[in-house]
Amino acid sequence: MTNFEEDISVYNFVSILGECFQNKASVNLVKHYPTGRMLAVKRFHLDKIWDNISIVQQEITLTKQLQHPNIITYYTSFVHGPEVFAVSPLQAFGSCKSLLDSHFNEGLPELAIILIFKDIIEAVNYLHKSGFIHRAIRASHILISASGKASLSGLHYACPLVINGRWQRAVHSFPLSTQPNLNWLSPELLEQNLKGYNEKSDIYSLGILCCELANGREPFADVDSTLMLVEKVRGCIPGLLDCTTLPSKCDDRECQGDCDIEISLSRRGFSQYLHEFCYMCLEREAKDRPSAAELLTHPVFTLVNKGISLPELLKPVLPLSDKVSPNKEMCHLDHVLHMSEMDMPSCDWDFPIS
Amino acid sequence: MNKNMCNISENVEENTEEAEMANRIFRVESDEELRPLSDVENPVLWMNENADLDDDLSFPNISNFFHRVDSSQILYETKKRRLKMIGKYVMGDLLGEGSYGKVKEMLDSENLCRRAVKILKRRKLRRIPNGEQNVESLQGMLESTSEKKFPLLQAHGYFTQLIDGLEYLHSKRIIHKDIKPGNLLLTLEGDLKISDLGVAETIDLFAKDDTCVQGQGSPAFQPPEIANGVESFPGFKVDVWSSGVTLYNITTGKYPFEGDNIYRLFESIGKGEFAVPSEIEEPLRSLLLGMLEKDPYSRFSLQQIRQHAWFMRKPPKTSKEVPIPPLQGDSLHRMTVLPYLEEHYYDFTNMEDDCSTHYITEKELNDQKKESAEHNNGKALVRQNSKRKWKKISCLTMRSFPGCKQS
């Protein structure tokens, strides 16, 4: 394995790929001079996140402790000036959230969802067996590499199940930093009562993730968070939008106008397996949800043939090429910051228009 | 008569439990929600002003004088739960009341974090010592048990946390002065939090030592130097003494010093003589004796407590831990804000079986009170919880709420 130096001078900052950590940190496309490899570097400006420094610290240590092909790795991390840098392999397709926003506004194709889920559930299974609850499983925390391998990131929200050397049956913590993830969180976590929650809370988030990948947006996206809370607690179960769940076209005529999107949604159909899979994850009672290991044996995964690869399914989206030529003007860090506002969504400029 | 009715309603307020009607739960707790109706069917007979008083008194039948109203004829109107927002917070139910004011539950509507709020009333700020009732404290847990004490292991866990907290306070030159089980709160995780710094004193930064002149706080937890009215005394040792009384209390279920009134109590404390029950075995016994030492200067310091054998070694597990008792009949301590939010978001008035009973009679209320009292005594709590399941109604159209399917 290549050794990645803890020194800023060997990395050439090419551009900003996106933002993370509630837009307080940036993900940069970086070229490693000695090897010529393209990398993704997370850059935290500590003055901006002074109240969350321990969270960054926790994310870096935890990510380094975990070793799984489907969990993001940090090659190295270091401090330079007021900033912390975390170097990780480039995930050329970006996050699932950026894919949804840029190309798949109405959701990913079913097979792509299943392929992504296979990888992510492996990661979740590993995480649970290691004694952690992720607590922030959502499309923006799922990154896809050029070869189509999905990996889980966003470990700064994770919490340990093992406290004082004891495996806890339930945990009760409700950190304020989980605010951006509220829509993905399970009812029992949101309820904050004496019952607490456990790793099954992540399974619920997987169900919401399934809806998000299939529908293009997560359920409860436009709803007051208090209403979302009441709905979840009362047992409302969101689902995949397709011909079986949406009203048929005849009904649509009555409510024309705001139903433009739904017509195309109501034509498509997801397989019964995927519906079932999603429904299982979203059971109101944690004990009724399957564990990550049980989910891996779900028949939904028999739907994908060996020959199909994720990059194939994601066409026309192309991965970020390794051969991006570093733009000399962009090398200045100040410049990069200015430019970030302009080419925020993704690096479309690099793609040949066919 | 009108005044009389008010009295009734006040009595009702004091100890009402949940009144449950057709899947909805009404908490009857304040006059905002429960008002006696003025138009009771049988109007009250007023004494005729012109009538001769003597004549009236000689009436054989007293029912003409005091009109008897059957409890089933007194009607209360249940008021709708109105969602109340203060800033970004949604108000919930009352958790407790004290001399300062009330403590209510709140929900932060932005990050959905549960909070408690202490509402202080300006005119109540003239503090009455020892008036504080407890919200979710060790006191409440103790009272929920039959023996009024914790198993040693559990007591050890709380006591070590108490000493940690006290050490921090003292490092900040703060003397709490009112350490008692009622001021020690527990989080859902079981972490102990020292609360109520209402009578705490901060030692001046340039003070030579921790000398105090004023003693406040709860009488039963006061050290002999305060009970005897000594002019000045070392402040940190006050907290050590009260922690000692607290430890004595949570391990034995008794108080080391007792008295019928505050004078007797202070007399007894002032003598500093007390007995440790025989069931308390050695390391704990000497710790109690060291912390409840009459002379503040030879009383244990926090450091000595830390190095004590009982503190350093966890006692073996002897019996089951005392669980956190149910809050207003709910063993899970669920959000009390939820019913308000439900009422706000869903229009219940269309439902036939729901909420059609807007009136509830005194008799029904009494019956429900009786029933819920029985609930609280036994294991019936579980049943109550299962009854409290939310009724599933879809109140949102697909259009306004994409991606939400009712199960």
Side-chain angles (χ1 to χ4, degrees):
Chain A
M1 193 183 138
T2 358
N3 187 29
F4 291 94
E5 296 83 351
E6 297 174 2
D7 179 6
I8 191 125
S9 62
V10 301
Y11 302 100
N12 177 23
F13 284 78
V14 181
S15 73
I16 290 184
L17 293 174
E19 286 181 345
C20 65
F21 215 81
Q22 292 162 52
N23 298 340
K24 284 171 186 157
S26 61
V27 182
N28 298 265
L29 181 65
V30 159
K31 187 169 186 170
H32 184 232
Y33 280 130
T35 58
R37 275 180 68 178
M38 301 305 291
L39 301 165
V41 172
K42 259 194 197 175
R43 202 169 156 174
F44 303 93
H45 198 287
L46 293 186
D47 286 344
K48 282 191 201 164
I49 53 159
W50 59 272
D51 48 346
N52 284 323
I53 288 176
S54 61
I55 299 176
V56 175
Q57 199 172 8
Q58 191 208 326
E59 174 179 12
I60 293 176
T61 30
L62 182 59
T63 312
K64 280 183 167 177
Q65 279 168 10
L66 299 171
Q67 288 281 333
H68 190 274
N70 298 114
I71 290 180
I72 192 85
T73 42
Y74 285 156
Y75 291 135
T76 184
S77 56
F78 55 89
V79 180
H80 181 81
E83 289 175 296
V84 171
F85 296 84
V87 182
S88 60
L90 179 65
Q91 306 289 323
F93 278 103
S95 75
C96 282
K97 181 73 184 155
S98 64
L99 284 175
L100 290 174
D101 286 347
S102 59
H103 290 87
F104 298 95
N105 290 324
E106 289 172 8
L108 295 169
E110 177 166 354
L111 291 180
I113 297 172
I114 298 171
L115 281 172
I116 292 171
F117 259 88
K118 186 141 184 61
D119 285 354
I120 293 307
I121 294 174
E122 291 280 4
V124 172
N125 188 29
Y126 167 79
L127 205 58
H128 289 176
K129 292 216 165 113
S130 318
F132 288 95
I133 312 178
H134 187 282
R135 296 199 300 186
I137 298 176
R138 50 186 286 184
S140 59
H141 287 148
I142 290 163
L143 308 172
I144 307 211
S145 72
S147 62
K149 190 184 74 174
S151 39
L152 194 58
S153 71
L155 286 162
H156 45 279
Y157 300 105
C159 85
L161 266 168
V162 180
I163 298 167
N164 290 333
R166 287 251 175 100
W167 199 287
Q168 304 291 312
R169 201 167 292 160
V171 288
H172 297 93
S173 73
F174 187 82
L176 298 179
S177 62
T178 58
Q179 192 180 345
N181 309 316
L182 288 177
N183 283 341
W184 286 265
L185 296 180
S186 65
E188 68 269 17
L189 197 160
L190 294 172
E191 273 185 300
Q192 300 160 72
N193 61 28
L194 266 181
K195 222 169 164 185
Y197 59 94
N198 59 15
E199 75 282 353
K200 289 289 182 70
S201 175
D202 274 350
I203 305 295
Y204 186 92
S205 305
L206 282 173
I208 299 281
L209 171 71
C210 187
C211 297
E212 186 185 17
L213 295 182
N215 301 339
R217 290 193 80 182
E218 85 273 16
F220 309 108
D222 293 322
V223 179
D224 277 354
S225 50
T226 44
L227 177 56
M228 180 273 296
L229 167 77
V230 178
E231 280 287 308
K232 279 186 182 172
V233 171
R234 286 159 61 102
C236 166
I237 298 185
L240 311 176
L241 303 176
D242 70 355
C243 56
T244 60
T245 51
L246 287 172
S248 64
K249 262 164 89 186
C250 314
D251 299 333
D252 272 0
R253 277 189 198 137
E254 290 162 25
C255 55
Q256 266 172 358
D258 50 352
C259 290
D260 294 343
I261 313 161
E262 289 188 13
I263 288 172
S264 63
L265 290 180
S266 62
R267 283 208 190 107
R268 67 177 179 186
F270 290 109
S271 71
Q272 200 47 48
Y273 283 145
L274 194 65
H275 278 287
E276 195 187 285
F277 176 87
C278 181
Y279 192 82
M280 278 168 83
C281 294
L282 293 172
E283 283 283 355
R284 169 70 177 83
E285 294 302 324
K287 62 176 190 326
D288 298 335
R289 292 175 212 144
S291 69
E294 282 162 0
L295 275 180
L296 283 171
T297 62
H298 193 272
V300 76
F301 296 110
T302 59
L303 295 176
V304 285
N305 298 323
K306 285 242 167 75
I308 300 174
S309 71
L310 193 55
E312 202 81 2
L313 292 163
L314 292 178
K315 272 180 180 169
V317 187
L318 291 173
L320 261 177
S321 153
D322 248 13
K323 288 157 201 142
V324 184
S325 58
N327 188 334
K328 287 249 166 76
E329 282 172 55
M330 302 263 290
C331 289
H332 258 286
L333 297 181
D334 293 336
H335 262 281
V336 176
L337 289 175
H338 286 301
M339 295 300 285
S340 68
E341 282 153 28
M342 292 155 73
D343 56 21
M344 260 311 298
S346 68
C347 296
D348 289 10
W349 44 270
D350 192 43
F351 302 144
I353 298 150
S354 49
Chain B
M1 187 58 201
N2 219 348
K3 200 186 163 195
N4 198 359
M5 296 272 294
C6 286
N7 284 339
I8 294 172
S9 79
E10 271 168 22
N11 285 336
V12 169
E13 283 163 36
E14 274 173 18
N15 48 2
T16 33
E17 296 290 333
E18 292 173 355
E20 204 170 325
M21 295 182 293
N23 270 330
R24 291 272 326 281
I25 299 155
F26 292 87
R27 175 150 298 134
V28 192
E29 62 176 13
S30 74
D31 47 0
E32 295 164 13
E33 292 181 16
L34 248 194
R35 296 174 304 186
L37 291 181
S38 51
D39 51 343
V40 187
E41 290 112 77
N42 297 346
V44 183
L45 285 181
W46 288 99
M47 251 176 12
N48 192 342
E49 279 173 29
N50 300 332
D52 192 4
L53 197 68
D54 294 290
D55 273 13
D56 273 312
L57 284 174
S58 62
F59 255 86
N61 192 355
I62 201 148
S63 68
N64 277 359
F65 187 62
F66 289 116
H67 184 75
R68 188 175 176 279
V69 181
D70 195 80
S71 68
S72 63
Q73 286 175 340
I74 300 174
L75 284 180
Y76 292 103
E77 186 185 18
T78 47
K79 212 183 161 192
K80 275 185 85 176
R81 287 174 172 278
R82 294 296 295 273
L83 187 78
K84 193 175 166 196
M85 298 271 301
I86 295 180
K88 61 171 182 174
Y89 295 101
V90 187
M91 298 303 288
D93 281 349
L94 192 76
L95 297 177
E97 257 175 304
S99 51
Y100 293 101
K102 297 172 184 169
V103 178
K104 282 193 170 189
E105 183 177 343
M106 291 199 310
L107 180 77
D108 186 323
S109 66
E110 284 169 15
N111 57 30
L112 297 184
C113 191
R114 289 176 81 181
R115 300 285 191 202
V117 58
K118 204 165 179 174
I119 305 165
L120 306 175
K121 286 221 171 93
R122 187 170 289 166
R123 69 186 161 81
K124 285 190 179 173
L125 274 176
R126 281 184 299 119
R127 208 188 100 88
I128 314 144
N130 204 20
E132 190 95 350
Q133 255 185 34
N134 318 305
V135 187
E136 164 119 40
S137 58
L138 290 191
Q139 188 66 39
M141 274 174 88
L142 284 172
E143 277 162 16
S144 74
T145 62
S146 54
E147 290 183 298
K148 310 267 180 266
K149 65 178 187 181
F150 295 128
L152 283 187
L153 180 62
Q154 194 174 2
H156 182 267
Y158 295 142
F159 182 72
T160 47
Q161 293 188 63
L162 167 64
I163 296 301
D164 286 349
L166 263 190
E167 198 168 49
Y168 172 78
L169 280 179
H170 290 183
S171 78
K172 298 274 175 199
R173 309 187 315 280
I174 295 165
I175 302 164
H176 188 284
K177 288 195 181 173
D178 199 12
I179 295 290
K180 56 174 178 174
N183 281 338
L184 305 175
L185 309 185
L186 283 179
T187 69
L188 288 176
E189 286 107 325
D191 290 342
L192 181 135
K193 306 260 180 189
I194 299 176
S195 81
D196 197 355
L197 290 134
V199 294
E201 183 178 330
T202 312
I203 307 278
D204 189 84
L205 189 54
F206 300 105
K208 221 164 60 188
D209 54 19
D210 60 337
T211 303
C212 284
V213 291
Q214 212 181 6
Q216 279 166 316
S218 316
F221 293 84
Q222 296 306 302
E225 57 269 26
I226 291 178
N228 289 334
V230 175
E231 241 170 55
S232 71
F233 46 86
F236 293 146
K237 293 295 176 70
V238 176
D239 284 345
V240 170
W241 175 277
S242 338
S243 306
V245 180
T246 302
L247 180 62
Y248 187 104
N249 181 235
I250 63 175
T251 50
T252 64
K254 299 178 191 113
Y255 291 94
F257 304 98
E258 274 170 314
D260 299 334
N261 54 47
I262 192 162
Y263 306 104
R264 289 276 168 74
L265 178 65
F266 274 177
E267 196 181 86
S268 151
I269 295 174
K271 282 180 195 153
E273 289 161 10
F274 70 101
V276 182
S278 54
E279 78 259 19
I280 297 295
E281 287 170 16
E282 194 23 68
L284 177 55
R285 174 177 287 268
S286 69
L287 177 62
L288 286 173
L289 290 172
M291 292 179 76
L292 298 176
E293 167 67 52
K294 191 186 169 197
D295 174 22
Y297 296 98
S298 46
R299 194 176 300 153
F300 276 3
S301 67
L302 287 184
Q303 273 320 305
Q304 278 172 291
I305 297 171
R306 271 197 184 287
Q307 284 152 15
H308 193 273
W310 191 77
F311 189 96
M312 294 209 287
R313 189 169 169 196
K314 262 191 196 175
K317 193 173 180 176
T318 46
S319 51
K320 249 185 117 188
E321 253 190 35
V322 174
I324 295 176
L327 176 73
Q328 291 161 348
D330 179 11
S331 62
L332 288 179
H333 290 233
R334 268 175 278 224
M335 282 188 195
T336 61
V337 176
L338 274 176
Y340 293 95
L341 285 171
E342 292 212 316
E343 185 76 48
H344 176 74
Y345 284 120
Y346 311 111
D347 193 6
F348 277 114
T349 48
N350 304 339
M351 313 299 299
E352 314 131 44
D353 56 337
D354 241 305
C355 190
S356 52
T357 17
H358 273 298
Y359 302 106
I360 154 173
T361 65
E362 171 98 5
K363 190 171 179 296
E364 281 168 348
L365 202 66
N366 287 336
D367 290 349
Q368 280 157 358
K369 263 163 59 185
K370 234 182 267 168
E371 203 177 302
S372 60
E374 281 161 17
H375 273 206
N376 285 348
N377 289 340
K379 307 136 206 158
L381 285 165
V382 188
R383 207 197 73 166
Q384 209 179 12
N385 291 337
S386 62
K387 264 181 99 177
R388 217 176 148 175
K389 256 190 188 162
W390 310 113
K391 204 174 165 206
K392 293 180 182 176
I393 328 152
S394 176
C395 302
L396 297 160
T397 61
M398 283 301 271
R399 211 186 320 163
S400 64
F401 201 57
C404 180
K405 189 180 76 172
Q406 201 60 52
S407 60

